[in-house]
Amino acid sequence: MAEPHELREKGLRLTPQRELVLAAVRDLGHATPEEVAEKVRLTHPGINLSTVYRNLETLENVGLVQHTHLGHGGATYHAAEELTHLHLVCSKCGSVGDAPIEAAANFVQSLADDYGFKTDVSHFAIYGLCENCQLPL
Amino acid sequence: MAEPHELREKGLRLTPQRELVLAAVRDLGHATPEEVAEKVRLTHPGINLSTVYRNLETLENVGLVQHTHLGHGGATYHAAEELTHLHLVCSKCGSVGDAPIEAAANFVQSLADDYGFKTDVSHFAIYGLCENCQLPL
DNA sequence: AGACTAATTGCGATGAATTCGCAGTTGCAC
DNA sequence: GTGCAACTGCGAATTCATCGCAATTAGTCT
Ligand SMILES: [Mn+2]
Ligand SMILES: [Mn+2]
Ligand SMILES: [Zn+2]
Ligand SMILES: [Zn+2]
């Protein structure tokens, strides 16, 4: 009675590529599909970029990973269990700071109360200037 | 002593294309570069898409327009003077609602106090579910 | 274990969005 | 009016993501 693998539990086939993509997302914290592919290639050099894209989508469909938008370009991926923070992205230096999601609790609540809008604060980054970049030069 | 045109005041050359791009952004409210080009072509059919891109960038550099990210894809442009609202984007139906920027004032203040982060709440949309899409089906 | 079937993969082609290089044109300072 | 740098049109190039398809493979059922 071996425990079923977490991917099997979600109804997904267990392929080395899929496991490696999930492991890479978990290891990397935030990662673009390119970065995930690079990481996976350390142990599985032949993996194709489209396989990475397809697995990220599949893993997102079953709730194991999620994407966010940290910058002007493409998405970055997180392990779902780790997506419990806000991203504070600096428009000048590009740094990505974290803040607990509770920092937005009142804001989220007031959007719900006043506009009936149920906010997902993690999907887009919070954009602005980090502390360093506000300093006079 | 004619008043200098607003574009000249910013140190920009006054070309028909540039004026039309700015006018289109102002007329359209939110617009993608494609949409701006379409609008401009109503009166200036020959305008090239790369000219639109270049002018949007130039106009943004002098502060007359600004871009925001409303969805997973590319940017949309606003006249700068009009960018005084939040965008509430529904992940399900795609609707874009507005909310006054003051709705985020407390949130912005607390990010400044607690993290030294100076937030630009309009650059990314606020993502979530609109009132309609929360209704049970 | 062996066979079957549908899901998954690799790969190259394709598509969409944006940027670039350059030759020709044009705004504007003189 | 002249001259020059800024700007434009145009086609090519980039970048990022998706697609089609034939070959492979995971999981199921004898
Ligand atoms: Mn942006
Ligand atoms: Mn998204
Ligand atoms: Zn910074
Ligand atoms: Zn909706």
Side-chain angles (χ1 to χ4, degrees):
Chain A
M1 58 191 46
E3 324 211 330
H5 188 283
E6 64 180 326
L7 290 175
R8 305 249 54 235
E9 273 179 347
K10 299 287 188 177
L12 299 179
R13 280 208 190 164
L14 187 53
T15 69
Q17 292 90 338
R18 186 163 287 161
E19 274 192 290
L20 287 163
V21 166
L22 178 55
V25 170
R26 286 179 172 159
D27 275 11
L28 291 169
H30 315 121
T32 63
E34 272 299 341
E35 289 163 345
V36 171
E38 235 171 272
K39 173 88 178 173
V40 171
R41 285 187 181 128
L42 296 177
T43 57
H44 189 289
I47 196 173
N48 194 272
L49 189 52
S50 52
T51 299
V52 173
Y53 274 101
R54 285 185 288 225
N55 274 316
L56 288 171
E57 190 186 353
T58 302
L59 293 169
E60 185 158 35
N61 286 338
V62 298
L64 287 170
V65 310
Q66 255 180 275
H67 77 265
T68 30
H69 301 274
L70 298 186
H72 307 191
T76 64
Y77 288 81
H78 286 73
E81 63 268 21
E82 196 220 334
L83 197 52
T84 52
H85 54 279
L86 303 178
H87 300 104
L88 307 181
V89 174
C90 179
S91 56
K92 191 164 173 192
C93 70
S95 66
V96 180
D98 287 352
I101 213 158
E102 297 82 43
N106 289 337
F107 179 49
V108 168
Q109 187 62 53
S110 70
L111 289 178
D113 292 346
D114 300 347
Y115 302 94
F117 191 83
K118 190 174 166 195
T119 304
D120 167 10
V121 276
S122 285
H123 192 78
F124 284 110
I126 309 295
Y127 203 68
L129 271 185
C130 76
E131 193 153 26
N132 277 336
C133 291
Q134 291 172 55
L135 296 176
L137 72 159
Chain B
M1 62 212 56
E3 322 209 332
H5 188 282
E6 64 180 325
L7 290 175
R8 306 251 52 237
E9 273 177 347
K10 299 286 188 176
L12 300 179
R13 283 207 187 163
L14 187 53
T15 69
Q17 292 90 338
R18 187 163 288 162
E19 273 191 289
L20 288 163
V21 166
L22 178 55
V25 170
R26 287 178 171 160
D27 275 11
L28 291 170
H30 316 121
T32 63
E34 270 303 339
E35 289 164 346
V36 171
E38 235 171 90
K39 173 89 177 174
V40 171
R41 285 185 182 131
L42 296 177
T43 56
H44 189 290
I47 196 173
N48 194 274
L49 189 53
S50 52
T51 299
V52 172
Y53 273 100
R54 284 185 290 225
N55 275 316
L56 287 171
E57 189 185 353
T58 303
L59 293 169
E60 186 158 35
N61 286 338
V62 300
L64 288 170
V65 309
Q66 256 181 273
H67 76 266
T68 31
H69 302 274
L70 298 186
H72 307 190
T76 64
Y77 288 81
H78 287 72
E81 63 270 20
E82 196 220 334
L83 198 51
T84 53
H85 54 278
L86 303 177
H87 300 104
L88 307 181
V89 174
C90 177
S91 56
K92 191 164 173 193
C93 71
S95 66
V96 180
D98 286 353
I101 211 158
E102 297 82 44
N106 289 336
F107 179 48
V108 168
Q109 187 62 52
S110 70
L111 290 177
D113 292 346
D114 300 347
Y115 302 95
F117 192 83
K118 189 174 168 194
T119 304
D120 167 9
V121 275
S122 286
H123 190 78
F124 284 111
I126 310 296
Y127 203 68
L129 271 184
C130 75
E131 194 153 24
N132 276 336
C133 291
Q134 290 173 56
L135 297 176
L137 74 157

